[in-house]
Structures are given as C-alpha cells and as structure tokens.
Amino acid sequence: MKTEQLNRFAGFGIGLASLFTENVLAHPCIVLRRQCQVNYHARHYHLTPFTVINIMYSFNKTQGPRALWKGMGSTFIVQGVTLGAEGIISEFTPLPREISRKWNPKQIGEHLLLKSLTYMVAMPFYSASLIETVQSEIIRDNTGILECVKEGIGRVIGLGVPHSKRLLPLLSLIFPTVLHGVLHYIISSVIQKFVLLILKRKTYSSRLAESTSPVQSMLDAYFPELIANFAASLCSDVILYPLETVLHRLHIQGTRTIIDNTDLGYEVLPINTQYEGMRDCINTIRQEEGVLGFYKGFGAVIIQYTLHAAVLQITRIIYSTLLQNSV
C-alpha cells in the first residue's frame, strides 16, 4: 500500500516537475530567445549559451529579475485559449481531437484542419503575448494579466494601441502562423511516438531477460513518456527555429514595440522593419544578416533544454531513492 501511495505521489510530482520546467523555468530563455529573434539591429547573434548567460546577467543587473520573467501570465493565457478553442471547435464540428489507431488520411486531414483553425483563433492572443515578452521593462507600464486578452481582441477589431502603417494585417499572418503551428505539431507527434516506441521496446526486452528490478519497472511507468516529450519538443524547436524567427518578426512589425539592446545588455531599440510578407522577410534576413540571422538567440534554446534535461535527471534520482527506501 505504501509503495502504491508513493507511486501515485511520484507520478503527480514528476508531472508537476516537468510542467514547471517547461512553463516556468524555461521562461527567461524564451524571453531572451524572442528578443534576439526580433532584433534585426543585433551584431551579436548569441548562438552559444555563454553569450546568452552573459546578456541575461546584464538585463537582470540593469532592470531587475522582472526583465526575464515578463509576459509569463500571457503565455499561460495563450495555452488556455488554444485548448479552449480546440475543445469548442471539435464539439461543434465533426473534426476529431484525437487520431484513432485505425486512422486513415481523411481523419488525419480533418485533425490537422482542427489544429489549423485552433492556431487561427489563438493567433491575435499569441501576437499580444509575443509583444509582452519582448517589450523592454524600462518603458513598460505595469500591465495586468488580462492585458493580453484585451490586446488580442483589440487587434482583431482594430482598436486599442495605435499601430503604425507597417503593421501587417492578421490575414497575412494566418499562413506563417498556421504553417509553424501545424509543422511543430506534426514533427513533435512523430518524434514522440518514435522515441516512445524505442523506449518501450527496450523496456520489453529487458523484462523478457528478467533483469528488471521493481524500482526500474516503476521508473519505466513514467519516464519513457517524459523523455519522449522532451525529445519531441527539442527536435521541433530546433528544426523550426528559422521559421519561428520569421514568424516573430512578422508579428512584431508595426506594433511600436521597444525592445532591449541584446548587444549591450542596456539601452533600448525600436523595431522599424518593413517586410511586405513572409517571402520578403526570408529574403531580407538572408541578404542582410546571413543564414545565421535565422538562428539569433539559439544559445537560449540550448540552455532551456539543458535545464529541462537536468530537472528530468534530478527527478529520476529522487524518485529512484524514494522507491528504493520503500521497497
């Protein structure tokens, strides 16, 4: 009974640790990565973790810890809107939320259509959340947690903060936003299933060899899925990083956003890009900043996933120790 209780508690604890890492611990990395992505002025590309840590320290020193935690509430709101929209659309349409084991191309097409519609609904809120995470703390007002919702709705109906003429209409942002969202979903789903299959096969063969301890079999109940999710997120983020850079630049254009100077760690910079659309943005980055311009801030991704891997490892060690003491 004691082991069963511990098992239940551990399952909850492991899930919580993973959620905390993905959404809270990773947030400073996401803030810095986005600031680097939209900073077309930047001479330092921050492709390695070392320069990223240095600039994080500078921001923390000049603006305080809030500089790296801004916009966290809005990222949760975007996740909530996405989940809510998906639930409502699937409820009122025949589009499936899950793909059954006996899938066919029509079912996959309908499922991806549901995902596309969900990303379209969440898009204005994603745009508002992006602005909150990159806007410099120096010139920021103390915005409320629901500011993202207000700004998102304002963007749809054309009210709210006055934007410049360079602001791209939401219609022209649909294609890059949906493309990025759907590709991210496909890549992460495929990799997650593939990694899970390999890990379960490995577990099965070790059970056949009867070399599994009770501790190991309990670890096998939780960790394969966490490792598969980790690998899926990492691969999709790395593969789609250039597209994400383009997407963020298009979303931020014309919003009169002032960002931190990622070269110096102090001072602020305006965003004055004049991209006409996705193709123009890709060509301009390639010509003016080179291929590595698409990877600005990539060092933050390395830090983010190193932290995540460390938390997974620490959680595993704690769980193993607790189980060994109880078995």
Side-chain angles (χ1 to χ4, degrees):
M1 186 64 193
K2 192 185 169 189
T3 311
E4 199 179 296
Q5 271 182 324
L6 183 71
N7 214 2
R8 215 172 289 157
F9 167 74
F12 175 72
I14 290 162
L16 206 63
S18 192
L19 270 174
F20 174 78
T21 313
E22 281 170 42
N23 297 296
V24 181
L25 207 58
H27 194 74
C29 300
I30 292 165
V31 166
L32 200 85
R33 145 187 172 179
R34 287 177 171 185
Q35 282 200 318
C36 292
Q37 283 177 322
V38 299
N39 188 356
Y40 66 99
H41 307 272
R43 288 187 179 171
H44 297 294
Y45 286 14
H46 299 299
L47 302 171
T48 67
F50 312 107
T51 59
V52 169
I53 290 167
N54 193 19
I55 210 79
M56 275 181 169
Y57 174 73
S58 299
F59 285 153
N60 198 48
K61 197 174 159 189
T62 53
Q63 300 173 41
R66 281 186 61 183
L68 296 171
W69 299 94
K70 59 194 174 192
M72 190 161 75
S74 68
T75 57
F76 286 121
I77 286 171
V78 172
Q79 285 181 25
V81 168
T82 308
L83 284 170
E86 190 176 319
I88 292 164
I89 295 166
S90 67
E91 199 66 41
F92 290 99
T93 63
L95 304 175
R97 272 190 95 165
E98 302 288 334
I99 295 172
S100 63
R101 291 200 166 190
K102 294 176 181 175
W103 57 269
N104 56 46
K106 181 177 176 279
Q107 193 188 34
I108 288 181
E110 286 176 345
H111 180 64
L112 292 178
L113 176 60
L114 171 68
K115 290 286 175 189
S116 303
L117 293 170
T118 303
Y119 297 133
M120 279 167 66
V121 172
M123 183 176 68
F125 305 102
Y126 179 82
S127 206
S129 171
L130 174 67
I131 293 165
E132 273 192 37
T133 50
V134 300
Q135 180 91 279
S136 176
E137 196 64 30
I138 295 168
I139 55 107
R140 227 161 90 98
D141 299 324
N142 275 340
T143 49
I145 197 157
L146 293 174
E147 191 68 23
C148 163
V149 178
K150 194 176 119 189
E151 286 292 321
I153 294 166
R155 181 98 187 244
V156 175
I157 59 176
L159 293 171
V161 180
H163 298 300
S164 78
K165 286 176 182 171
R166 294 188 309 277
L167 183 78
L168 290 165
L170 282 175
L171 281 173
S172 66
L173 293 174
I174 288 174
F175 177 71
T177 307
V178 169
L179 178 70
H180 177 266
V182 169
L183 285 177
H184 198 282
Y185 175 72
I186 291 169
I187 294 166
S188 56
S189 299
V190 168
I191 286 168
Q192 194 217 21
K193 298 270 189 295
F194 179 67
V195 172
L196 211 51
L197 192 74
I198 290 169
L199 292 173
K200 285 195 171 165
R201 199 166 278 180
K202 202 174 152 190
T203 307
Y204 181 68
S205 55
S206 68
R207 273 187 190 160
L208 282 178
E210 290 180 357
S211 60
T212 316
S213 65
V215 172
Q216 188 58 46
S217 61
M218 283 182 189
L219 284 173
D220 290 339
Y222 295 108
F223 279 92
E225 202 150 320
L226 289 177
I227 293 162
N229 287 343
F230 169 79
S233 294
L234 172 63
C235 294
S236 45
D237 272 4
V238 170
I239 292 166
L240 295 174
Y241 198 87
L243 179 59
E244 189 184 72
T245 299
V246 171
L247 177 69
H248 287 166
R249 291 205 186 183
L250 295 174
H251 270 280
I252 215 87
Q253 179 171 299
T255 55
R256 300 186 191 275
T257 303
I258 306 285
I259 63 161
D260 293 309
N261 187 328
T262 55
D263 284 345
L264 302 172
Y266 54 90
E267 291 183 2
V268 291
L269 299 164
I271 298 286
N272 293 322
T273 51
Q274 296 190 354
Y275 308 123
E276 285 166 23
M278 188 176 168
R279 188 180 291 175
D280 181 43
C281 182
I282 293 167
N283 292 336
T284 307
I285 295 173
R286 198 189 293 135
Q287 283 164 18
E288 293 180 4
E289 299 163 59
V291 174
L292 289 177
F294 292 102
Y295 289 91
K296 279 183 172 177
F298 191 76
V301 174
I302 300 169
I303 296 173
Q304 182 184 333
Y305 285 99
T306 305
L307 274 173
H308 197 159
V311 170
L312 277 177
Q313 196 55 39
I314 292 162
T315 316
R316 191 188 177 104
I317 292 163
I318 294 167
Y319 186 35
S320 302
T321 313
L322 285 170
L323 280 172
Q324 271 162 350
N325 291 341
S326 70
V327 170

